[in-house]
Amino acid sequence: MKFIKKIILFIFILGFIFSGYIGYCYFTKQPVPFFGRKITGAYYSIGSNTSKNPLEWNITTTKVFDRELNTIKKTLLMADPFLHEYNGKWYAFFEIMNGKHADIGVAVEENGSWKYLGIALDESVHLSYPFVFKKEGITYMIPETKRHEQVRLYKTDNFPFDWKVDKVLIENERLVDGTLFEKENVSYLFATKNNELKLYYSDSLHGNWKEHPSSPLKNGNYTRSAGRVFQEDGKIIRFAQDHFGGYGRAVYGFSIDSISKTYYKESSLPNNPILKNQGDSWAKNGMHHIDIHKLPNGTYKAIYDGYGYGTEKITFSFSNNF
C-alpha cells in the first residue's frame, strides 16, 4: 500500500513540475514541448532599423510602418518585406493580404517615414515574398508564385510598378520563398517544397536551372527562407524561419561554409536566433523575415516583420512544432 502511495505521489509531483514547465514556456513565448501554438486574429507588420552589427538588431528602436498615416487597416497582413534602393531612395516591397488574397505592395521612405504607394503586382493567385534585386543595371523581382507551379522572374520599365514576366526559371514545381544569390559566377536559388529545402543552380540568371545533386538539403524545421542571403567579406549567411512551437517564431542564420555545383555544407550561427518574439510588442508572437543591406558609412539597414496582437492558445497537435 505504501509503495502504491509513493508511486501516486511521484506521478503527482512529476505532473506538477511538467505542467509548471509548460506554463513557463507558454508565458515566456518559448517552444512548448510536445505541443504547438495557434494564434488567431493576429497579423504581421513590418519595420526598418539600422545597426552597426548585421546580426544584432534592437527591435525596440524599430521604425514600424505607420498604418494609420497610410490608411491601411490593422487587419491587413504585411509581411516578407524586401528593401531596394532606386535613384537614391529606399523602397520596400512586401506581401499585403486581406485574409483571402495576397498581392505585392510597395512603399517609399521619405523624410524618415514609410509612405505607402499602392499595389506593385496583382495577379489571380496568392503572391508573397517579393525578392527584388538589381543585376547589370536591371531591377528584377522573384515573388512567390507557387500556385502557378512556377518560379517566375519579373522586371519592369516603370519602377516600382508594372512588373511583367521576363522568364520562367523553374516549371512544374510548387515552390515557395525563392531566394537567389551568386558565388563564383554561378547562380543559386533556395526554395521550399513540403518542408524540404531545395537548391537549384545555373550558369546565369537567364540560363538553364537544374536541381542541385545535394537537394533537398534538409527537411523539417529551418527549411523556409527568411530573407535575402547576406554576403560580406567572403561570408555567406542563409536566413531561415524557425517553426518549432508554431509558425514563424524566429529567424535563424546558417553559414554557408562550402558550395559548388556538386557540394553543399552549412552550419548554424552561434548567436542564433537573429530575430525572435519581443515581449508585449508589435512582434510579441514571433518574427520570420529579415533583409539586410550595408550602407556607405559602414552601418547596416534592415527591414523585417513581426507577428503581434491576436489571441494565442496551446493546441494538442505535434505537427505545429515543425
Side-chain angles (χ1 to χ4, degrees), residues 74-86:
K74 290 185 176 181
T75 53
L76 288 179
L77 176 149
M78 299 172 70
D80 295 348
F82 284 94
L83 287 172
H84 186 69
E85 189 176 17
Y86 188 86

Side-chain angles (χ1 to χ4, degrees), residues 41-274:
Y43 58 85
Y44 280 90
S45 291
I46 61 176
S48 58
N49 208 344
T50 57
S51 174
K52 293 181 179 179
N53 187 329
L55 301 179
E56 294 181 2
W57 297 92
N58 183 357
I59 306 305
T60 61
T61 61
T62 300
K63 180 166 47 180
V64 182
F65 193 96
D66 192 328
R67 291 172 178 262
E68 184 175 347
L69 179 65
N70 289 281
T71 61
I72 295 179
K73 295 179 181 179
K74 290 185 176 181
T75 53
L76 288 179
L77 176 149
M78 299 172 70
D80 295 348
F82 284 94
L83 287 172
H84 186 69
E85 189 176 17
Y86 188 86
N87 288 343
K89 289 186 176 181
W90 285 101
Y91 291 80
F93 292 84
F94 47 88
E95 174 189 359
I96 184 164
M97 182 177 178
N98 64 6
K100 296 181 179 180
H101 183 73
D103 298 315
I104 302 303
V106 61
V108 62
E109 191 176 39
E110 292 183 345
N111 301 317
S113 299
W114 287 104
K115 177 183 178 182
Y116 181 57
L117 299 178
I119 300 299
L121 180 60
D122 180 16
E123 295 191 348
S124 60
V125 302
H126 177 100
L127 299 173
S128 62
Y129 203 84
F131 183 89
V132 61
F133 63 100
K134 181 180 284 188
K135 182 174 176 61
E136 298 175 352
I138 300 175
T139 300
Y140 295 98
M141 182 194 295
I142 304 176
E144 178 192 316
T145 54
K146 179 182 75 172
R147 294 180 185 177
H148 283 311
E149 296 187 356
Q150 296 175 334
V151 176
R152 294 176 166 186
L153 178 70
Y154 291 71
K155 70 177 182 179
T156 177
D157 295 323
N158 184 33
F159 186 89
F161 301 105
D162 300 333
W163 296 86
K164 307 296 182 183
V165 177
D166 181 52
K167 178 181 172 61
V168 175
L169 303 181
I170 301 171
E171 292 192 87
N172 302 318
E173 287 283 2
R174 293 173 62 85
L175 300 168
V176 300
D177 304 342
T179 305
L180 177 81
F181 73 102
E182 295 183 347
K183 184 178 186 296
E184 297 176 350
N185 298 318
V186 179
S187 297
Y188 296 96
L189 181 84
F190 290 118
T192 306
K193 180 180 180 180
N194 299 329
N195 291 325
E196 288 186 338
L197 177 62
K198 291 180 173 288
L199 178 63
Y200 298 83
Y201 70 93
S202 173
D203 288 328
S204 68
L205 176 61
H206 290 86
N208 180 32
W209 286 85
K210 301 177 181 178
E211 187 166 0
H212 195 277
S214 298
S215 178
L217 304 177
K218 63 170 59 179
N219 56 57
N221 205 3
Y222 310 124
T223 56
R224 288 195 64 167
S225 293
R228 190 185 312 270
V229 170
F230 181 74
Q231 296 177 264
E232 184 181 52
D233 298 331
K235 297 179 181 179
I236 309 176
I237 298 173
R238 176 181 78 89
F239 295 109
Q241 299 178 24
D242 174 27
H243 293 164
F244 183 76
Y247 176 77
R249 301 298 299 175
V251 173
Y252 275 60
F254 295 85
S255 170
I256 299 176
D257 303 317
S258 181
I259 186 170
S260 70
K261 292 180 180 180
T262 59
Y263 185 75
Y264 182 87
K265 181 182 179 182
E266 71 176 24
S267 57
S268 179
L269 296 182
N271 59 322
N272 277 323
I274 305 302

